[in-house]
Amino acid sequence: MKKSVFLGTLAATTLIAGMASASTLDDVKARGELICGSNTGLTGFGAPDATGQYVGFDADLCKAVAAAVLGDASKVKYVPTTGETRFTALASGEVDLLVRNSTWTFSRDTDLKLDFVAVNYYDGQGFMVKKDLGVSSAKELDGATICIQTGTTTELNLADFVKSNGINYTPVTIQDDAEGQRQFLAGACDAYTTDASGLASLRATLPNPADYVILPEIISKEPLGPVVRHGDNQWGDIVRWTYYALVAAEEKGITKANIEEVATSTTDPEIKRMLGLEGDLGAMIGLDKEWAKRAIAANGNYGEIFEANIGASTPIGLARGLNAQWTQGGLQYAPPFR
Amino acid sequence: MTSVTEAPKASFRLGMLIYDTRYRSMTIQVIALALLAAVLWWLGSNLSTNLAAKGKDINFSFLWNRAGYDIDQQLISYTNDDTHSRALFVGLLNTLVVAFVGCILATIIGVFAGVARLSKNWVVARLMTVYVEVFRNVPLLLWIILAFTVFSEVMPQISDFKITQAMIDSGTPPAASMLFDGTVALSNRGTNIPYPLLTRPLGGFEFLGIPFNFSFIAIVGVFVASIMASRALNHRAKVIQEATGVRPVTWWKNVGIIVLPVTALLLALGLHWDVPYFPTTETGATKGFNFVGGVNLAHNFTALVIALSLYTGSYIAEAVRAGIMAVSRGQSEAAAALGLRSGRIMSLVVLPQALRVIVPPLISQYLNLTKNTTLGMAIGYLDLKGTLGGITMNQTGRELECMVLMMMIYLIISLLISAGMNVYNASTKLKER
């Protein structure tokens, strides 16, 4: 008798566990923790620091979302994903949000049933070679061996690029950036190709960065951004507008340091709406009034996050370029908070 | 008055399903079957509900779309314009070639190590014990990664083979040079070996994406015919030996029969070798990035084959040792009493009987090795798991379809190996009449 009760309970629990979850926002709130799919380790974007805490440009977006939703930027659990596992991890519900240098493409957006909610970094694919190879253009790479991360858009771009330029090459497929770096340094490939930001990040970690050159060709458009599952539009809106709050904050000059002061002294109606001093934008996406304020206070605005992790003053040294505000000639443009 | 007590009527009660041993086993089987069916139904409905919730369907048409990615090791022609199904086929062949070479090497290593472990020579026996224990007790994945890392870190870099103008002027030799009279180049990118070419090939055609090469078929046909002729010669020698007691000398005839026809055919077809070389300018300085010509065996292939065969070889060695020890000592003592030398005792008396014990575990080891080829993904070897279950799955997002297809293919390969080995097992096992 006891056994049958046990079996019955077991069957009931498995049935409940198998049911599809209703809403990501409810799940995150109930869990009290945001699960963020991140890179296995890409310095500047998402990599564990000396204490094992994830830091970087992408990790800061996760923190901002956690601050907006849960009120605590530290309530984030990072799940490292590889180029191959990331979308499966997101689609299966293993992570709530994927912020991992993932390129927004048509088929990923539609066929993979994912939603790219914004572009937090406009990137392009480039090549890095050793300086003593004497190569100054990617078009001189005929006959070369090229290391390439599998399961990414880069391997498709590379195949297209070499075909349109009549180049022959030998691909060396690798699983993650660390393996690619090892093989490239060991000389197992002549060139390493990935997003230009990733190359800059890799070059910054090398012992003698000056011995390596990033070739001038950018062979693709790589809009990188946070990804959520298709179908849960409320959650998608939360991530999208949290990101835009960071972008708008930079445009309006709101920083981590002055946000309290701005909140008390501002007369700008848009800032008032965004920071929850006027109206109730938060309620429209299922959050409280001060969601955006907390998100900005967590790590500062978009510009501050950029400069702190990958900007010109860091070893990675990326210029703002396309990622400057639209007012500065870049592409970062937040729709109005209204 | 006598009262006759009748035997109690066997009436069926529900409790008997559990308490009566006649029905109990039936009850348990029915319940188990019902539970299994319920679990399967639940898994199926869960799948369809979840797929519907994500708006996905089950559709294999992606296999005929353009693949768009490149594969470095390919046995049949493939470009990124070919379809995903062609990429699947390239990957499948890469799996099979590793499995085939691995099984042969593992058998050779295993038989050698298994026999040597029983050797009376203390050093040889202990060395083999160390080999078996070390390889069996460390996970295979680590061996594969270790072998690959050693290859790519220890071998000379391509830049070591390069000769600059300054080096020619000062007379400095390059840090590394090709082996075997300039025919084989061993670098940290792979092993470049000469590739056989024919000046007068017989042509061929492609059917359903599978290439048929007449030259290759002709060479294999001639070779098989030679082997059969050689067997006929040996059979005749045996008949003569049994009739007269004297065995005619056959070895040079055998060598002639096997070697001459194939050599003659290859010469007629105009066999020559495409030797790898580093391109140079007129002055002798090297240019370009890599060796050209010949075949490049990438290190992920070599490392995978070596690690798989050494690992599986250690298990086969134990199976071989067990098989030999299962043959009673009396057999070899009796053979020795008849005056046979120890080598012939092993090959004529012990091994044929030991095979009965060795072959069944050998089948499992071959299956293991074949399935373990999937670990090649750790070192970027594009086998079936790397193409269909890796890049194709990732680029198309058809996880379910790719996994199902891949599991079915591995199942079919395993069943074929199993069936083939069972035929062999039937021929070696004790024939009882």
Side-chain angles (χ1 to χ4, degrees), chain B residues 29-57:
Chain B
Q29 287 177 48
V30 168
I31 292 174
L33 205 63
L35 279 176
L36 182 70
V39 167
L40 287 179
W41 176 85
W42 176 70
L43 285 175
S45 70
N46 191 0
L47 174 70
S48 59
T49 319
N50 280 325
L51 279 180
K54 283 185 192 164
K56 283 189 166 189
D57 56 346

mmCIF file of all heavy atoms in Angstrom, chain B residues 29-57:
data_model
loop_
_atom_site.group_PDB
_atom_site.id
_atom_site.type_symbol
_atom_site.label_atom_id
_atom_site.label_comp_id
_atom_site.label_asym_id
_atom_site.label_seq_id
_atom_site.Cartn_x
_atom_site.Cartn_y
_atom_site.Cartn_z
ATOM 1 N N GLN B 29 3.658 -8.916 -14.808
ATOM 2 C CA GLN B 29 4.008 -8.579 -16.192
ATOM 3 C C GLN B 29 3.022 -7.593 -16.798
ATOM 4 O O GLN B 29 3.413 -6.650 -17.489
ATOM 5 C CB GLN B 29 4.053 -9.852 -17.045
ATOM 6 C CG GLN B 29 5.266 -10.710 -16.739
ATOM 7 C CD GLN B 29 5.271 -11.988 -17.531
ATOM 8 O OE1 GLN B 29 5.055 -11.966 -18.728
ATOM 9 N NE2 GLN B 29 5.491 -13.106 -16.852
ATOM 10 N N VAL B 30 1.723 -7.821 -16.533
ATOM 11 C CA VAL B 30 0.703 -6.931 -17.096
ATOM 12 C C VAL B 30 0.890 -5.517 -16.547
ATOM 13 O O VAL B 30 0.871 -4.531 -17.294
ATOM 14 C CB VAL B 30 -0.710 -7.459 -16.789
ATOM 15 C CG1 VAL B 30 -1.752 -6.390 -17.101
ATOM 16 C CG2 VAL B 30 -0.983 -8.701 -17.608
ATOM 17 N N ILE B 31 1.130 -5.445 -15.200
ATOM 18 C CA ILE B 31 1.303 -4.117 -14.598
ATOM 19 C C ILE B 31 2.528 -3.419 -15.180
ATOM 20 O O ILE B 31 2.490 -2.244 -15.558
ATOM 21 C CB ILE B 31 1.420 -4.234 -13.060
ATOM 22 C CG1 ILE B 31 0.081 -4.673 -12.488
ATOM 23 C CG2 ILE B 31 1.865 -2.915 -12.441
ATOM 24 C CD1 ILE B 31 0.109 -4.958 -11.009
ATOM 25 N N ALA B 32 3.643 -4.172 -15.306
ATOM 26 C CA ALA B 32 4.870 -3.584 -15.829
ATOM 27 C C ALA B 32 4.652 -3.060 -17.242
ATOM 28 O O ALA B 32 5.075 -1.946 -17.587
ATOM 29 C CB ALA B 32 5.988 -4.620 -15.818
ATOM 30 N N LEU B 33 3.955 -3.854 -18.053
ATOM 31 C CA LEU B 33 3.707 -3.453 -19.431
ATOM 32 C C LEU B 33 2.848 -2.196 -19.480
ATOM 33 O O LEU B 33 3.124 -1.257 -20.259
ATOM 34 C CB LEU B 33 3.010 -4.597 -20.176
ATOM 35 C CG LEU B 33 3.195 -4.607 -21.685
ATOM 36 C CD1 LEU B 33 4.656 -4.786 -22.018
ATOM 37 C CD2 LEU B 33 2.368 -5.727 -22.305
ATOM 38 N N ALA B 34 1.817 -2.156 -18.618
ATOM 39 C CA ALA B 34 0.925 -0.995 -18.592
ATOM 40 C C ALA B 34 1.700 0.255 -18.173
ATOM 41 O O ALA B 34 1.544 1.326 -18.770
ATOM 42 C CB ALA B 34 -0.236 -1.239 -17.635
ATOM 43 N N LEU B 35 2.591 0.101 -17.164
ATOM 44 C CA LEU B 35 3.386 1.240 -16.714
ATOM 45 C C LEU B 35 4.298 1.739 -17.831
ATOM 46 O O LEU B 35 4.407 2.936 -18.078
ATOM 47 C CB LEU B 35 4.232 0.852 -15.496
ATOM 48 C CG LEU B 35 3.509 0.865 -14.161
ATOM 49 C CD1 LEU B 35 4.435 0.380 -13.066
ATOM 50 C CD2 LEU B 35 3.005 2.273 -13.848
ATOM 51 N N LEU B 36 4.932 0.797 -18.526
ATOM 52 C CA LEU B 36 5.829 1.164 -19.615
ATOM 53 C C LEU B 36 5.059 1.927 -20.690
ATOM 54 O O LEU B 36 5.512 2.986 -21.164
ATOM 55 C CB LEU B 36 6.466 -0.097 -20.209
ATOM 56 C CG LEU B 36 7.478 0.154 -21.328
ATOM 57 C CD1 LEU B 36 8.727 0.789 -20.761
ATOM 58 C CD2 LEU B 36 7.826 -1.129 -22.044
ATOM 59 N N ALA B 37 3.878 1.398 -21.047
ATOM 60 C CA ALA B 37 3.067 2.062 -22.068
ATOM 61 C C ALA B 37 2.683 3.460 -21.594
ATOM 62 O O ALA B 37 2.729 4.419 -22.377
ATOM 63 C CB ALA B 37 1.818 1.234 -22.367
ATOM 64 N N ALA B 38 2.349 3.586 -20.303
ATOM 65 C CA ALA B 38 1.947 4.894 -19.777
ATOM 66 C C ALA B 38 3.109 5.882 -19.862
ATOM 67 O O ALA B 38 2.931 7.036 -20.257
ATOM 68 C CB ALA B 38 1.475 4.755 -18.340
ATOM 69 N N VAL B 39 4.318 5.411 -19.498
ATOM 70 C CA VAL B 39 5.486 6.300 -19.540
ATOM 71 C C VAL B 39 5.752 6.744 -20.975
ATOM 72 O O VAL B 39 5.983 7.922 -21.260
ATOM 73 C CB VAL B 39 6.718 5.590 -18.938
ATOM 74 C CG1 VAL B 39 7.977 6.373 -19.261
ATOM 75 C CG2 VAL B 39 6.561 5.449 -17.446
ATOM 76 N N LEU B 40 5.695 5.776 -21.913
ATOM 77 C CA LEU B 40 5.943 6.118 -23.314
ATOM 78 C C LEU B 40 4.902 7.115 -23.819
ATOM 79 O O LEU B 40 5.226 8.093 -24.499
ATOM 80 C CB LEU B 40 5.922 4.856 -24.190
ATOM 81 C CG LEU B 40 7.132 3.946 -24.029
ATOM 82 C CD1 LEU B 40 6.999 2.725 -24.914
ATOM 83 C CD2 LEU B 40 8.422 4.690 -24.352
ATOM 84 N N TRP B 41 3.646 6.875 -23.453
ATOM 85 C CA TRP B 41 2.582 7.776 -23.887
ATOM 86 C C TRP B 41 2.815 9.163 -23.312
ATOM 87 O O TRP B 41 2.678 10.164 -24.010
ATOM 88 C CB TRP B 41 1.219 7.231 -23.418
ATOM 89 C CG TRP B 41 0.115 8.169 -23.759
ATOM 90 C CD1 TRP B 41 -0.562 8.263 -24.929
ATOM 91 C CD2 TRP B 41 -0.433 9.181 -22.900
ATOM 92 N NE1 TRP B 41 -1.469 9.271 -24.874
ATOM 93 C CE2 TRP B 41 -1.424 9.853 -23.646
ATOM 94 C CE3 TRP B 41 -0.170 9.578 -21.583
ATOM 95 C CZ2 TRP B 41 -2.158 10.898 -23.101
ATOM 96 C CZ3 TRP B 41 -0.901 10.629 -21.053
ATOM 97 C CH2 TRP B 41 -1.890 11.275 -21.811
ATOM 98 N N TRP B 42 3.235 9.195 -22.037
ATOM 99 C CA TRP B 42 3.465 10.487 -21.394
ATOM 100 C C TRP B 42 4.605 11.248 -22.081
ATOM 101 O O TRP B 42 4.498 12.429 -22.363
ATOM 102 C CB TRP B 42 3.782 10.287 -19.905
ATOM 103 C CG TRP B 42 4.119 11.587 -19.242
ATOM 104 C CD1 TRP B 42 3.266 12.605 -18.977
ATOM 105 C CD2 TRP B 42 5.404 12.010 -18.817
ATOM 106 N NE1 TRP B 42 3.940 13.645 -18.396
ATOM 107 C CE2 TRP B 42 5.257 13.302 -18.282
ATOM 108 C CE3 TRP B 42 6.670 11.412 -18.818
ATOM 109 C CZ2 TRP B 42 6.317 14.008 -17.756
ATOM 110 C CZ3 TRP B 42 7.723 12.127 -18.301
ATOM 111 C CH2 TRP B 42 7.547 13.402 -17.773
ATOM 112 N N LEU B 43 5.704 10.503 -22.392
ATOM 113 C CA LEU B 43 6.820 11.147 -23.073
ATOM 114 C C LEU B 43 6.382 11.689 -24.427
ATOM 115 O O LEU B 43 6.709 12.815 -24.803
ATOM 116 C CB LEU B 43 7.965 10.138 -23.264
ATOM 117 C CG LEU B 43 8.783 9.800 -22.029
ATOM 118 C CD1 LEU B 43 9.791 8.718 -22.350
ATOM 119 C CD2 LEU B 43 9.510 11.030 -21.520
ATOM 120 N N GLY B 44 5.607 10.878 -25.148
ATOM 121 C CA GLY B 44 5.149 11.287 -26.476
ATOM 122 C C GLY B 44 4.267 12.514 -26.405
ATOM 123 O O GLY B 44 4.462 13.485 -27.156
ATOM 124 N N SER B 45 3.313 12.510 -25.485
ATOM 125 C CA SER B 45 2.388 13.646 -25.424
ATOM 126 C C SER B 45 3.106 14.892 -24.920
ATOM 127 O O SER B 45 2.840 16.000 -25.376
ATOM 128 C CB SER B 45 1.194 13.317 -24.531
ATOM 129 O OG SER B 45 1.618 13.245 -23.195
ATOM 130 N N ASN B 46 4.051 14.686 -23.991
ATOM 131 C CA ASN B 46 4.858 15.801 -23.501
ATOM 132 C C ASN B 46 5.612 16.461 -24.657
ATOM 133 O O ASN B 46 5.639 17.685 -24.814
ATOM 134 C CB ASN B 46 5.853 15.255 -22.462
ATOM 135 C CG ASN B 46 6.540 16.362 -21.707
ATOM 136 O OD1 ASN B 46 6.277 17.526 -21.956
ATOM 137 N ND2 ASN B 46 7.426 16.014 -20.806
ATOM 138 N N LEU B 47 6.195 15.601 -25.511
ATOM 139 C CA LEU B 47 6.947 16.094 -26.665
ATOM 140 C C LEU B 47 6.048 16.900 -27.585
ATOM 141 O O LEU B 47 6.382 18.029 -27.963
ATOM 142 C CB LEU B 47 7.548 14.895 -27.404
ATOM 143 C CG LEU B 47 8.250 15.222 -28.711
ATOM 144 C CD1 LEU B 47 9.521 15.964 -28.423
ATOM 145 C CD2 LEU B 47 8.550 13.952 -29.481
ATOM 146 N N SER B 48 4.873 16.316 -27.904
ATOM 147 C CA SER B 48 4.032 17.020 -28.874
ATOM 148 C C SER B 48 3.484 18.306 -28.274
ATOM 149 O O SER B 48 3.398 19.323 -28.958
ATOM 150 C CB SER B 48 2.906 16.113 -29.369
ATOM 151 O OG SER B 48 2.130 15.691 -28.284
ATOM 152 N N THR B 49 3.155 18.288 -26.960
ATOM 153 C CA THR B 49 2.663 19.522 -26.331
ATOM 154 C C THR B 49 3.733 20.603 -26.374
ATOM 155 O O THR B 49 3.471 21.745 -26.742
ATOM 156 C CB THR B 49 2.314 19.262 -24.850
ATOM 157 O OG1 THR B 49 1.676 18.006 -24.758
ATOM 158 C CG2 THR B 49 1.429 20.336 -24.296
ATOM 159 N N ASN B 50 4.967 20.211 -25.983
ATOM 160 C CA ASN B 50 6.030 21.209 -25.921
ATOM 161 C C ASN B 50 6.396 21.733 -27.296
ATOM 162 O O ASN B 50 6.695 22.916 -27.460
ATOM 163 C CB ASN B 50 7.263 20.634 -25.229
ATOM 164 C CG ASN B 50 7.093 20.652 -23.726
ATOM 165 O OD1 ASN B 50 6.483 21.563 -23.192
ATOM 166 N ND2 ASN B 50 7.602 19.646 -23.057
ATOM 167 N N LEU B 51 6.393 20.834 -28.299
ATOM 168 C CA LEU B 51 6.697 21.290 -29.655
ATOM 169 C C LEU B 51 5.620 22.256 -30.121
ATOM 170 O O LEU B 51 5.911 23.291 -30.724
ATOM 171 C CB LEU B 51 6.775 20.098 -30.613
ATOM 172 C CG LEU B 51 8.086 19.323 -30.610
ATOM 173 C CD1 LEU B 51 8.015 18.177 -31.594
ATOM 174 C CD2 LEU B 51 9.252 20.225 -30.959
ATOM 175 N N ALA B 52 4.365 21.915 -29.804
ATOM 176 C CA ALA B 52 3.267 22.787 -30.213
ATOM 177 C C ALA B 52 3.384 24.133 -29.505
ATOM 178 O O ALA B 52 3.157 25.188 -30.104
ATOM 179 C CB ALA B 52 1.936 22.126 -29.907
ATOM 180 N N ALA B 53 3.775 24.095 -28.218
ATOM 181 C CA ALA B 53 3.890 25.344 -27.458
ATOM 182 C C ALA B 53 4.960 26.252 -28.059
ATOM 183 O O ALA B 53 4.850 27.469 -28.020
ATOM 184 C CB ALA B 53 4.232 25.040 -26.009
ATOM 185 N N LYS B 54 6.019 25.645 -28.623
ATOM 186 C CA LYS B 54 7.076 26.447 -29.229
ATOM 187 C C LYS B 54 6.787 26.727 -30.688
ATOM 188 O O LYS B 54 7.569 27.404 -31.360
ATOM 189 C CB LYS B 54 8.406 25.706 -29.136
ATOM 190 C CG LYS B 54 9.023 25.752 -27.763
ATOM 191 C CD LYS B 54 10.383 25.109 -27.827
ATOM 192 C CE LYS B 54 10.914 24.879 -26.437
ATOM 193 N NZ LYS B 54 12.016 23.939 -26.444
ATOM 194 N N GLY B 55 5.691 26.164 -31.205
ATOM 195 C CA GLY B 55 5.352 26.375 -32.607
ATOM 196 C C GLY B 55 6.296 25.663 -33.556
ATOM 197 O O GLY B 55 6.517 26.097 -34.674
ATOM 198 N N LYS B 56 6.894 24.550 -33.086
ATOM 199 C CA LYS B 56 7.815 23.809 -33.944
ATOM 200 C C LYS B 56 7.124 22.562 -34.476
ATOM 201 O O LYS B 56 6.193 22.050 -33.859
ATOM 202 C CB LYS B 56 9.060 23.398 -33.156
ATOM 203 C CG LYS B 56 10.033 24.524 -32.934
ATOM 204 C CD LYS B 56 11.312 23.983 -32.347
ATOM 205 C CE LYS B 56 12.426 25.000 -32.416
ATOM 206 N NZ LYS B 56 13.713 24.436 -32.040
ATOM 207 N N ASP B 57 7.599 22.068 -35.604
ATOM 208 C CA ASP B 57 7.068 20.814 -36.124
ATOM 209 C C ASP B 57 8.240 19.868 -36.359
ATOM 210 O O ASP B 57 9.393 20.237 -36.168
ATOM 211 C CB ASP B 57 6.312 21.050 -37.436
ATOM 212 C CG ASP B 57 7.187 21.741 -38.475
ATOM 213 O OD1 ASP B 57 8.248 22.255 -38.071
ATOM 214 O OD2 ASP B 57 6.824 21.763 -39.640
#
